[in-house]
Amino acid sequence: MDKLVIEGGRPLRGTLTVSGSKNTALPLMAAALLADGTTTIDNVPNLRDVNTFSDVLRVSGAEVEFDADAHVMTIDASTIDTPVAPYELVKKMRASFYMLGALLGRCGKGRVSLPGGCAWGPRPVNLHLEGMRAFGAEIELDEGYVVAHAPGGRLPGGTFTLEPSSVGATINLALAASTAQGTSRIENAAIEPDVVVFLEALQRMGAQIDGIGTRTVEIEGVDGLQPIAVTNCPDRIELGTFMIAAAIAGEPNDTIRIENANPDHLGRAFLDKFAATGTHFVTGADHVEVSAPDVLEPVSIETAVFPGFPTDLQAQWSVLLSQSPGAATITDTIYDDRFSHIPELARMGLQASVDGNTVTVEGHTHLKGATVMSTDLRASVSLVLAGMVAEGQTDVLRVYHLDRGYERLEVKLQNAGIQIHREQYDEFATPDVLKDD
Ligand code: UD1
C-alpha cells in the first residue's frame, strides 16, 4: 500500500492548479451512455473513481478510452449490450449507482448492485428508488441487486419530490427521465454546480429540460440523445481545500495563486466564512489568490445544500480551526457522523469533542507529526493538511482513499514548497520493536 510522508512546517508558496471535478466527471460519463455514438469529455481528472467508473461503463458494453495525460475521455455507447452494474465495482464507488438511471434511460432496464454502507454512515438510496418508481419503473430487489424495468421499454414519467434534496438522486432521476415517453418533474431538485453542469450537458445532447439551477426541474422525454463534446468543470472541493491549505500553511504577506478554478462553484457560504477567518483573497473568473493572515479568526460553520457550506469541506475546516486562537464548532447537517478524521487528528494533538453532528475544535493547537490513517476521501486530505502545519514527520497511511478524489496531490504540493512524498509500505509488517536485532 502507499502512504504519504510529510515533513511539516514548510510554507506553501507559488501556484497550485485545480484538476477537473470528480463529482461532475462521473455524471457526465453516465450521461454519455444515453447517446448512440461517441461522447468526448475533456478536463477529466485521472483518479481512482474515474477509472473504476470507466470499468463499470465497460461492463455494460461501452467502449471507454482515457488519455490520462491529456485528461480526455471518449465513450462510445453505441455498443451497449449488457445492462448490468456488478457488486464488485459498485461496492468500490457509490456513484456507480448512476448506472440505474443511465441503463433505464438507454436500455429500458437495468440490474444494478445496491451500494451498501460507507465509512461514515448508511448513505441511503431510497430516494433514487422511490423516484424511479414515481416515474413508472418497476423495481424489485434480487440478491443485493436492484432490478428495474420500464414497462414497454420506456418510462411513462411522473412527479417526485426529493426530501431531503439530494445531488445523487437528482442526477439519477434526470438520467432516467431524459428518454422517457412522457414528462417528469423533480421537485426540491439539487442545485449544486455538479448537477447544473451535468443537466446543461444533457440539454446539449438533446434532452428537453426546464428549470436547470432551480428547485423544480421538468424533463420532457425525447426519443434519443446525441453524443457531444463537453468540457468538465474544475473541482470546487479541491479549490476549497487549496484555499484552506493557503490560509494555514502560507506565509503572511505572500500570495498563493490557485489556477484553473471556478470560485463561483464554491457557493456563498464558504467564501463568506473563509473571509471571516481574516484570510485575504481575491477571486477572478478562473483563479483565486490567497494570502494567509497573521491570525486566523475562529469561525463556526454548518454544512448545508448549495450555496451552503459544502459537507466535503468540513473535515479540512477542522484543521483550519486548530490553528486559530479560539474554539469554534462544525455542524454537519448533511451527514451527521462524518467525523472519522477527528480521532486521527487527535493523535496529532487536536483537541476536539464530538457531540451528535457537531464537533467543537479548540484552537491554538500545536500539532505534532504522527502516523495516522485515512478513513475516507475528505478525512485523508485533512490529515495531509494537518501534516503540513505539524512539527515533525507525519505518515498518512492508506492513501488509496485520497487517490479516489485528489489527482497527484503530493506532486502539486511539492511544486508549491511542501516536503511530501509517496512511499510504499507493508500494512501487516512486524513492528520494529518486535524484530530481532
Ligand atoms: C453529498 C453532497 C455532495 C457531496 C457528496 C460526497 C450535499 C447535498 N450533497 O452528495 O455535495 O459531493 O455527498 O461527499 O451536500 N439521502 C437520502 N436518500 C437518498 C439519497 C440521499 O436520504 O436516496 C439523504 C442523504 O443521506 C443526505 C442527503 O440526502 O443526508 C443528501 O444526499 P445526496 O446529496 O444524495 O448525497 P450525495 O450524493 O452523497
Side-chain angles (χ1 to χ4, degrees):
M1 253 185 256
D2 285 1
K3 65 178 178 180
L4 290 179
V5 180
I6 307 151
E7 194 60 47
R10 310 290 153 108
L12 186 71
R13 291 209 169 107
T15 303
L16 289 160
T17 304
V18 175
S19 296
S21 162
K22 168 177 90 72
N23 287 342
T24 313
L26 300 172
L28 290 176
M29 289 168 69
L33 294 189
L34 295 175
D36 187 11
T38 302
T39 293
T40 305
I41 312 171
D42 66 20
N43 201 28
V44 176
N46 183 17
L47 297 172
R48 211 161 66 93
D49 273 8
V50 165
N51 291 308
T52 302
F53 201 46
S54 301
D55 284 342
V56 176
L57 265 50
R58 289 186 183 106
V59 169
S60 73
E63 281 177 23
V64 183
E65 279 175 31
F66 185 33
D67 182 338
D69 293 330
H71 297 110
V72 177
M73 179 175 283
T74 55
I75 300 168
D76 179 359
S78 59
T79 46
I80 286 190
D81 54 8
T82 312
V84 173
Y87 175 67
E88 292 72 14
L89 293 173
V90 179
K91 73 171 186 204
K92 287 191 192 173
M93 191 191 62
R94 298 177 53 81
S96 310
F97 204 61
Y98 291 146
M99 289 304 280
L100 186 64
L103 292 173
L104 266 174
R106 180 64 199 280
C107 309
K109 61 182 177 185
R111 182 179 168 84
V112 177
S113 171
L114 277 168
C118 160
W120 35 275
R123 296 186 82 184
V125 289
N126 60 311
L127 295 174
H128 303 232
L129 300 180
E130 288 165 25
M132 301 285 175
R133 281 199 176 104
F135 290 178
E138 287 168 5
I139 293 184
E140 40 186 78
L141 294 185
D142 177 38
E143 297 181 339
Y145 279 73
V146 175
V147 183
H149 284 273
R154 283 174 74 182
L155 291 176
T159 295
F160 187 69
T161 302
L162 293 170
E163 198 50 66
S165 181
S166 154
V167 171
T170 302
I171 289 168
N172 225 345
L173 292 174
L175 287 164
S178 290
T179 55
Q181 211 135 30
T183 300
S184 306
R185 187 177 307 135
I186 308 169
E187 297 283 7
N188 201 23
I191 57 168
E192 268 67 4
D194 318 309
V195 176
V196 170
V197 171
F198 156 78
L199 290 177
E200 284 171 351
L202 271 187
Q203 202 172 42
R204 282 189 48 223
M205 293 170 75
Q208 298 291 317
I209 309 178
D210 275 340
I212 294 178
T214 75
R215 292 280 171 209
T216 301
V217 171
E218 194 169 273
I219 305 176
E220 197 185 315
V222 293
D223 289 347
L225 300 185
Q226 288 84 50
I228 54 166
V230 59
T231 298
N232 182 28
C233 61
D235 196 299
R236 66 197 190 105
I237 304 303
E238 191 181 22
L239 168 60
T241 304
F242 285 165
M243 288 171 71
I244 292 172
I248 60 173
E251 287 180 310
N253 303 322
D254 190 22
T255 299
I256 293 157
R257 190 177 162 90
I258 307 170
E259 291 186 333
N260 194 21
N262 184 340
D264 289 345
H265 282 186
L266 273 172
R268 204 57 255 163
F270 178 84
L271 296 173
D272 288 348
K273 293 289 184 182
F274 193 68
T277 66
T279 308
H280 313 287
F281 67 101
V282 180
T283 59
D286 63 355
H287 67 271
V288 180
E289 288 182 345
V290 182
S291 300
D294 290 318
V295 177
L296 273 166
E297 297 297 330
V299 177
S300 297
I301 58 112
E302 188 170 302
T303 68
V305 295
F306 191 82
F309 193 103
T311 174
D312 281 348
L313 284 169
Q314 59 94 341
Q316 298 88 314
W317 197 261
S318 58
V319 181
L320 181 144
L321 290 184
S322 74
Q323 302 303 297
S324 70
T329 59
I330 294 171
T331 301
D332 198 330
T333 69
I334 308 290
Y335 289 107
D336 55 17
D337 58 354
R338 200 179 184 184
F339 295 124
S340 61
H341 49 284
I342 296 294
E344 293 300 313
L345 289 170
R347 306 193 66 249
M348 300 176 70
L350 181 83
Q351 306 235 344
S353 57
V354 180
D355 182 11
N357 67 346
T358 297
V359 51
T360 305
V361 180
E362 304 298 334
H364 217 57
T365 308
H366 182 70
L367 293 173
K368 287 193 171 174
T371 300
V372 287
M373 184 119 85
S374 293
T375 46
D376 72 60
L377 172 54
R378 307 303 168 188
S380 7
V381 85
S382 73
L383 299 175
V384 173
L385 293 177
M388 283 163 55
V389 293
E391 178 193 336
Q393 180 177 317
T394 297
D395 287 25
V396 181
L397 307 186
R398 296 194 182 177
V399 286
Y400 59 87
H401 290 292
L402 188 97
D403 294 336
R404 282 189 41 223
Y406 289 89
E407 186 180 26
R408 298 166 71 240
L409 181 69
E410 73 275 21
V411 178
K412 292 183 183 184
L413 292 177
Q414 274 162 13
N415 291 338
I418 301 300
Q419 199 168 330
I420 179 171
H421 67 273
R422 183 179 288 257
E423 264 178 35
Q424 287 197 326
Y425 72 103
D426 177 1
E427 177 115 340
F428 303 105
T430 311
D432 284 346
V433 286
L434 295 179
K435 282 183 188 156
D436 294 334
D437 284 333

